[in-house]
């Protein structure tokens, strides 16, 4: 394999929820391979810290933006600002996510709506806004972050967050449907479905159930950050030009 398949020099990536967790890992590998990076989330401070670190470490352009992906006004303004600052968006990673742990019979409606609004509506709004730009250029890579929770139904003792799992299943189908709709425009749309990684979102579950989760994993371990980075880099670069509508599980085999 040659570096050119993974070289992102001269490209600009927009990563939602890029200030922490999996989004930050993806921002780091994109910057390492030469991409300029825009990161956005509701927490501007986290994104600013990430952008500063990327600039200092990898000598690329990076900038932070405050954005609630569930707000079409916010999304429109953010995409316009990124295009103004960078001139183009070659890669979009829809990573912003929300979850709510509760039994299905007790799930508050407002909790269900919050999770769906961020995870599904946010993915749609950002894809719509950036997609128009990509269609106008006849090229672009969209990477949606799903979850193994959207691939299989877990018992309540492993995961009791029906809004989250439903939203991620929706993200997976959205990925396939959008890929079919935009294939003719030169826009690739794929998804990554991570298993359990150590992040702020999974901290509470892992504190209570880490041993059980690891024991049930065929590879007997939690998520491998390098595998996540590798999959994201592959889907963002030229090596995946003939791949669209796919959901790649990064889960140690737990979804088998």
């Amino acid at each position: 394999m040659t570096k050119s398949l993974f070289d992102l020099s001269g490209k600009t990536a927009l990563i939602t929820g890029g200030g922490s967790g999996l989004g930050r890992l993806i921002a780091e590998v994109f910057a390492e391979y030469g991409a300029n990076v825009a990161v956005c989330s509701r927490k501007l401070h986290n994104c600013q810290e990430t952008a500063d670190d990327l600039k200092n470490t990898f000598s690329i352009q990076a900038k932070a933006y405050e954005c609630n992906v569930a707000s079409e006004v916010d999304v429109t303004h953010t995409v316009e600002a990124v295009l103004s600052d960078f001139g183009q968006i070659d890669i979009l990673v829809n990573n912003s996510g929300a979850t709510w742990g509760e039994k299905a019979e007790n799930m508050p409606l407002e909790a269900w709506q919050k999770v769906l609004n961020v995870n599904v509506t946010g993915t749609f709004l950002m894809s719509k806004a950036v997609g128009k730009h990509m269609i106008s250029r006849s090229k672009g890579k969209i990477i949606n972050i799903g979850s193994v929770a959207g691939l299989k139904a877990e018992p309540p003792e492993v995961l009791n967050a029906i809004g989250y799992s439903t939203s991620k299943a929706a993200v997976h189908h959205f990925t396939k449907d959008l890929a079919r709709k935009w294939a003719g425009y030169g826009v690739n749309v794929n998804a990554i479905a991570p298993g359990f990684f150590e992040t702020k979102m999974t901290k509470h579950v892992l504190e209570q159930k880490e041993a059980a989760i690891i024991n049930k994993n065929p590879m007997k371990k939690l998520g491998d950050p390098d595998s996540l980075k590798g999959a994201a880099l592959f889907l963002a670069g030229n090596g995946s030009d003939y791949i669209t509508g796919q959901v790649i599980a990064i889960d140690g085999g737990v979804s088998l």
Side-chain angles (χ1 to χ4, degrees):
M1 305 291 283
T2 61
K3 185 181 178 183
S4 62
L5 289 177
F6 304 98
D7 185 13
L8 302 180
S9 298
K11 296 185 178 182
T12 296
L14 170 58
I15 303 168
T16 72
S20 61
L22 302 186
R24 177 159 181 155
L25 289 176
I26 293 171
E28 288 172 356
V29 73
F30 285 179
E32 180 182 352
Y33 279 77
N36 297 317
V37 177
V39 288
C40 71
S41 76
R42 287 175 297 173
K43 298 180 179 178
L44 182 60
H45 173 74
N46 289 348
C47 289
Q48 189 61 60
E49 185 178 273
T50 296
D52 291 342
D53 287 347
L54 295 179
K55 285 188 290 187
N56 294 334
T57 303
F58 301 108
S59 300
I60 51 89
Q61 296 180 51
K63 192 165 183 178
Y65 303 84
E66 184 175 1
C67 179
N68 174 7
V69 297
S71 164
E72 187 164 22
V73 172
D74 273 20
V75 167
T76 299
H77 288 169
T78 299
V79 172
E80 289 175 349
V82 174
L83 290 175
S84 176
D85 293 335
F86 291 89
Q88 64 195 54
I89 300 173
D90 303 279
I91 305 154
L92 168 65
V93 180
N94 285 307
N95 169 74
S96 285
T99 188
W100 192 290
E102 182 57 273
K103 294 179 180 180
E105 61 270 29
N106 296 329
M107 176 72 71
L109 176 59
E110 60 270 24
W112 169 274
Q113 291 173 329
K114 175 186 176 181
V115 172
L116 270 290
N117 283 343
V118 174
N119 297 358
V120 183
T121 303
T123 296
F124 161 69
L125 290 174
M126 191 61 75
S127 298
K128 175 185 173 183
V130 175
K132 291 179 181 179
H133 167 70
M134 290 180 169
I135 289 170
S136 73
R137 301 176 69 220
S138 299
K139 61 180 179 179
K141 297 289 181 74
I142 296 176
I143 304 169
N144 299 321
I145 304 302
S147 171
V148 294
L151 294 174
K152 57 181 291 191
E154 295 284 8
E157 61 269 19
V158 175
L159 183 67
N160 219 353
I162 195 168
Y164 179 79
S165 55
T166 300
S167 73
K168 291 304 185 178
V171 167
H172 298 163
H173 188 77
F174 175 82
T175 297
K176 293 175 179 292
D177 205 4
L178 191 64
R180 186 66 185 88
K181 302 298 191 291
W182 286 359
Y185 297 127
V187 179
N188 300 63
V189 188
N190 291 291
I192 293 172
F196 274 99
F197 283 72
E198 293 186 66
T199 67
K200 183 178 180 181
M201 184 179 289
T202 63
K203 182 179 179 181
H204 179 68
V205 174
L206 291 176
E207 284 176 349
Q208 298 179 334
K209 306 173 182 177
E210 181 173 346
I213 290 169
I214 291 174
N215 186 57
K216 291 182 179 181
N217 189 290
M219 297 185 76
K220 305 300 181 186
K221 61 180 182 179
L222 295 177
D224 168 18
D226 282 346
S227 292
L228 178 81
K229 288 182 176 182
L233 180 62
F234 170 63
L235 292 176
N238 297 332
S240 61
D241 283 354
Y242 198 51
I243 298 172
T244 198
Q246 302 305 303
V247 180
I248 301 176
I250 313 295
D251 67 351
V254 76
S255 59
L256 296 174

